[in-house]
Amino acid sequence: MYYGNNFGNPMPGMQPTQVPNYNPYNFYNNYQQPQQQSQQPKINTNKIFVSGIEDVKMRMLDPNSDYIFFDNDKSMIYRKVVDGTGHFDVKAYDVIEHKEVEKTPAEAQSINPRDFVRKEEFEALQAKLNTLMNKIEQQSEVKPNDGVGL
């Protein structure tokens, strides 16, 4: 039986045996500690899954934002960019796996002869260019006026 004031009783009007976790010798421990729940931690991957481009267009986003959405059914991603006035642009991209292609040292240093001109062709082109430059210089020289028109 409990006698005395309510100093040690955390809930007046209740008998100490009715209070869960009651310890009359240590009144600081009379209150129940919050129990930790054993839940799986929620992993935030910042992935937003959608069911097509129309779903992306319907999503409301903050102004001046840029989001990537993943399609649930297709190997596609969507990028939605919203400007300061709320207007947005949505672009769709195909997702394919990147595979690194290693070149052998011979392939890396190989030269394709079709990418170059022969020396004779270059010299012929250079001669034509020099002829054109000489004609331009001759025409641009200012010839003295023969007195015609004055």
Side-chain angles (χ1 to χ4, degrees):
M1 182 110 183
Y2 179 75
Y3 296 102
N5 63 13
N6 289 333
F7 180 74
N9 189 353
M11 300 180 143
M14 293 185 73
Q15 293 298 322
T17 56
Q18 295 175 324
V19 178
N21 298 329
Y22 178 71
N23 182 357
Y25 301 107
N26 188 356
F27 63 91
Y28 292 110
N29 290 333
N30 285 344
Y31 300 101
Q32 220 175 6
Q33 297 289 330
Q35 295 180 358
Q36 294 180 355
Q37 297 177 356
S38 60
Q39 293 180 349
Q40 294 291 337
K42 191 171 187 178
I43 299 172
N44 185 4
T45 59
N46 296 326
K47 295 178 184 174
I48 304 171
F49 290 94
V50 293
S51 58
I53 195 165
E54 293 302 320
D55 190 7
V56 174
K57 290 179 181 178
M58 297 298 291
R59 301 270 177 146
M60 299 300 293
L61 300 177
D62 294 332
N64 297 320
S65 60
D66 189 345
Y67 281 83
I68 300 292
F69 298 89
F70 293 85
D71 197 303
N72 283 325
D73 303 322
K74 306 172 198 162
S75 61
M76 294 184 73
I77 59 172
Y78 307 99
R79 181 179 182 203
K80 184 173 185 178
V81 179
V82 183
D83 65 11
T85 63
H87 292 90
F88 63 87
D89 182 37
V90 177
K91 292 185 180 178
Y93 299 92
D94 292 316
V95 177
I96 57 170
E97 182 180 359
H98 174 74
K99 295 184 181 184
E100 196 66 36
V101 178
E102 293 185 27
K103 292 185 177 182
T104 64
E107 289 175 333
Q109 294 179 359
S110 66
I111 297 174
N112 187 354
R114 287 187 241 151
D115 294 339
F116 299 94
V117 295
R118 293 188 322 242
K119 185 176 180 180
E120 299 84 29
E121 292 174 336
F122 177 75
E123 289 174 348
L125 182 61
Q126 189 175 22
K128 287 181 182 179
L129 183 60
N130 287 339
T131 304
L132 286 173
M133 292 299 292
N134 288 337
K135 285 183 180 181
I136 291 173
E137 287 176 6
Q138 289 174 359
Q139 289 179 355
S140 65
E141 289 179 3
V142 179
K143 295 184 180 180
N145 195 347
D146 295 335
V148 177
L150 289 180

